[in-house]
């Protein structure tokens, strides 16, 4: 079913089945379903103009083409009081195999700066129930956000553990941080599992953050670092509770 990206005050979602429908839906709708979207080469899913209170639901398989740029971000999310979620079985695939060369952001094939930029998300927002796999480098960049919860996420980059033909025997994926957080406050990351090849959570600046019930596999765990020589160098009130929390490996829980 194709959407007419008209205002959905009745609560009926604007149902997007083609990449070309997204911008009109973001501009006009507060209930958006993105179903089996294929972002073309050189194109990002731009959710930076979401109206206050919008819910975005990923459905089916979301895929991305190739973009030969180290300053490109395949997805950007901004808004107040927003919910970003997914239907059961939905998968967001970052096409990491097109970029992985064992070097990550240190050189080689130009790779996206971050896969998903979460910027200026405020007002008791939540990002939940997403299954993301095969991100090229650095998954979430979280900056200038407040009162935001990440929960019930399955982030699976295990396909990048194996070497490929251009990684010189190293794991093909590199610099595959799960959550990079800066200049943000009142952030919660909970009830999620991360399989990657670098930091599970890296905090460089911010205040009042809680990380709990998080499983980190294959990477470097949690870090507070890269502090210094920046305009904002404060890292305060960080609580980490690594309580065992068994999650299914292939789907997030409600």
């Amino acid at each position: 079913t194709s959407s007419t990206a008209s205002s959905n005050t009745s609560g009926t979602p604007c149902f997007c089945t083609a990449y070309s429908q997204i911008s009109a839906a973001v501009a006009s709708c507060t209930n958006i379903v993105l179903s089996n979207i294929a972002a073309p080469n050189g194109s990002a899913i731009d959710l930076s103009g979401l109206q206050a209170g919008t819910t975005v639901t990923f459905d089916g398989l979301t895929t991305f083409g190739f973009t030969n740029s180290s300053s490109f971000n395949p997805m950007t999310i901004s808004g107040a009081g927003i919910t970003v979620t997914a239907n059961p079985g939905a998968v967001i695939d970052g096409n990491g195999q097109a970029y992985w060369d064992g070097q990550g952001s240190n050189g080689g094939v130009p790779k996206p700066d971050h896969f998903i930029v979460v910027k200026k998300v405020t007002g008791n927002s939540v990002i939940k129930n997403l299954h993301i796999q095969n991100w090229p480098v650095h998954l979430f960049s979280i900056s200038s956000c407040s009162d935001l919860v990440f929960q019930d996420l399955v982030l699976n980059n295990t396909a990048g553990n194996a070497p490929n033909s251009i990684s010189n025997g190293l794991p093909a994926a590199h610099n595959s941080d799960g959550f990079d957080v800066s200049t943000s406050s009142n952030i919660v990351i909970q009830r999620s599992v991360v399989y990657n090849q670098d930091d599970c959570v890296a905090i460089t600046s911010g205040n009042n953050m809680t990380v709990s019930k998080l499983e980190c596999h294959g990477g470097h765990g949690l870090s507070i670092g890269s502090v210094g020589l920046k305009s904002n160098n404060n890292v305060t009130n960080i609580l980490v509770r690594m309580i065992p929390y068994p999650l299914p490996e292939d789907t997030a829980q409600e």
Side-chain angles (χ1 to χ4, degrees):
T1 303
S2 298
S3 84
T4 60
S6 58
S7 178
N8 56 337
T9 54
S10 66
T12 302
C14 291
F15 201 86
C16 300
T17 57
Y19 174 82
S20 60
Q21 298 171 325
I22 296 174
S23 61
V26 168
S28 303
C29 305
T30 56
N31 187 354
I32 301 167
V33 176
L34 303 180
S35 184
N36 293 305
I37 297 296
N41 293 344
S43 300
I45 292 180
D46 186 357
L47 305 177
S48 63
L50 295 174
Q51 299 182 61
T54 293
T55 294
V56 177
T57 304
F58 285 88
D59 179 71
L61 178 63
T62 303
T63 60
F64 294 81
F66 179 81
T67 300
N68 190 35
S69 170
S70 59
S71 61
F72 178 75
N73 297 301
M75 189 186 306
T76 302
I77 300 170
S78 301
I82 63 172
T83 297
V84 178
T85 186
N87 287 331
V91 172
I92 298 172
D93 192 304
N95 190 25
Q97 290 89 338
Y99 301 92
W100 292 336
D101 57 7
Q103 299 186 58
S105 56
N106 299 322
V109 177
K111 304 166 189 72
D113 184 25
H114 278 81
F115 181 47
I116 301 177
V117 169
V118 182
K119 186 174 183 179
K120 296 182 179 178
V121 174
T122 61
N124 297 315
S125 295
V126 61
I127 296 175
K128 64 180 182 178
N129 297 334
L130 304 181
H131 182 139
I132 302 173
Q133 65 189 29
N134 303 331
W135 57 93
V137 65
H138 305 130
L139 203 171
F140 285 111
S141 170
I142 304 156
S143 64
S144 302
C145 294
S146 61
D147 304 299
L148 170 61
V149 175
F150 293 82
Q151 67 183 31
D152 302 315
L153 307 176
V154 173
L155 311 178
N156 187 353
N157 225 32
T158 53
N161 289 336
N164 63 16
S165 62
I166 57 174
S167 68
N168 294 318
L170 298 171
H174 190 58
N175 297 134
S176 55
D177 294 7
F179 301 88
D180 290 343
V181 190
S182 64
T183 60
S184 297
S185 62
N186 302 326
I187 305 297
V188 175
I189 300 171
Q190 64 183 3
R191 301 201 314 252
S192 297
V193 60
V194 181
Y195 297 87
N196 70 341
Q197 298 80 21
D198 209 318
D199 294 330
C200 186
V201 179
I203 300 170
T204 58
S205 60
N207 181 53
N208 287 345
M209 301 184 197
T210 299
V211 179
S212 68
K213 297 182 179 178
L214 188 66
E215 285 192 12
C216 300
H217 300 267
H220 301 163
L222 286 81
S223 66
I224 297 175
S226 300
V227 176
L229 302 177
K230 295 189 175 111
S231 59
N232 186 335
N233 288 298
N234 295 325
V235 181
T236 53
N237 300 318
I238 309 300
L239 175 62
V240 177
R241 292 178 177 157
M242 298 308 288
I243 301 170
Y245 183 72
L247 278 174
E249 294 186 1
D250 60 349
T251 182
Q253 291 183 349
E254 295 293 344

